[in-house]
Amino acid sequence: MTSEHSDIDIAPYIDHSLLHPTATQQQVEQWCEEADRYHFATVCIQPTWVRFTAELLHGKQPKVCTVIGFPTGATTAAVKLFEAQEAAENGATELDVVMNLGWLKAGKTEEIHREIAAICEETGQVVKVILETNLLTDIEKKMAAEVSMDAGASFLKTCTGWNGGATVADVKLLQELAKDRIEIKASGGIRTVDQALELILAGATRLGTSRGVDLLRQRNESSKG
């Protein structure tokens, strides 16, 4: 896989993610420095680090991404909206919002639409809706994709990474459902260059991973070999 697609630069696809609850200021500084050095798309951090990250990345290429309603998606719509608005005010330009999966499984698509649409409209930022595909049936994935697109989201995102990782099959399914109306972010368990490339070739336009630097190192080593 790597030798066949050595022309694909994976760095611009990467949301350099630091979402562990024990993340420190020193680690945030490291992630920002790495994202700037390797030209990653964003640094994705918890909301508490948004303002600090925005200051570190001011005037630099990587954007500031954060998570909303993470990792369960089960906070109220009002809380999610406030969290999203505060994150945008603090400098986040991309918001990864966890869908309310209980609502989805109960068929409450109007409530989901209202929640996502409010975040899209009130913040004006790029919204990626996290579907947590490993917990859904294919019918539920379709329902989740349709309501997210109708609500104005910019991306469908596979997973938080807390309940399993992205699969090529899910990315292909989301790509078919999206029909180029919306982008796809694959996230969770991306540990190898081959995985990353397979997900990109399946249709992912963004990759969420904490291992971005390691993926580039693997890529360099394979190209030398």
Side-chain angles (χ1 to χ4, degrees):
M1 175 68 71
T2 42
S3 59
E4 294 173 21
H5 301 280
S6 56
D7 57 327
I8 298 177
D9 179 7
I10 65 174
Y13 289 85
I14 292 175
D15 283 351
H16 196 31
S17 304
L18 180 62
L19 297 171
H20 197 278
T22 63
T24 64
Q25 178 174 314
Q26 184 179 9
Q27 287 176 300
V28 174
E29 291 172 345
Q30 177 188 336
W31 253 244
C32 290
E33 188 278 326
E34 289 170 347
D36 182 46
R37 187 196 322 166
Y38 296 111
H39 307 293
F40 293 148
T42 75
V43 174
C44 186
I45 32 69
Q46 295 277 9
T48 190
W49 293 112
V50 167
R51 185 184 293 275
F52 180 64
T53 302
E55 291 170 356
L56 290 177
L57 292 177
H58 180 70
K60 297 180 179 178
Q61 179 179 318
K63 294 180 170 60
V64 180
C65 174
T66 194
V67 286
I68 305 298
F70 190 86
T72 67
T75 46
T76 66
V79 168
K80 281 186 184 174
L81 178 58
F82 178 84
E83 189 176 28
Q85 289 173 316
E86 183 181 51
E89 289 167 6
N90 285 338
T93 59
E94 300 195 6
L95 308 170
D96 289 21
V97 181
V98 187
M99 179 175 284
N100 188 315
L101 301 177
W103 282 355
L104 182 68
K105 288 186 175 288
K108 295 183 176 182
T109 53
E110 289 185 13
E111 287 88 338
I112 295 172
H113 184 281
R114 194 178 304 120
E115 176 178 278
I116 296 170
I119 292 172
C120 293
E121 292 165 9
E122 295 297 327
T123 67
Q125 305 301 336
V126 170
V127 171
K128 310 188 196 95
V129 181
I130 306 176
L131 310 184
E132 207 68 304
T133 47
N134 292 299
L135 302 182
L136 306 180
T137 66
D138 282 355
I139 292 173
E140 290 167 343
K141 291 169 194 173
K142 182 177 181 181
M143 193 189 316
E146 292 293 342
V147 71
S148 298
M149 289 188 284
D150 289 345
S154 301
F155 281 79
L156 301 173
K157 177 177 171 181
T158 57
C159 312
T160 61
W162 290 52
N163 294 287
T167 67
V168 168
D170 277 336
V171 170
K172 285 182 176 178
L173 175 61
L174 295 180
Q175 176 68 10
E176 290 170 9
L177 295 171
K179 297 183 175 65
D180 296 324
R181 288 177 288 169
I182 190 171
E183 296 188 64
I184 309 298
K185 176 176 174 179
S187 186
I190 304 171
R191 296 181 175 85
T192 70
V193 175
D194 281 358
Q195 272 182 297
L197 290 170
E198 286 170 359
L199 292 165
I200 290 170
L201 293 170
T205 53
R206 200 71 70 81
L207 304 174
T209 178
S210 61
R211 297 177 172 86
V213 175
D214 187 48
L215 292 178
L216 295 186
R217 189 177 297 119
Q218 290 178 34
R219 195 69 190 274
N220 290 336
E221 288 173 357
S222 65
S223 64
K224 289 176 185 175

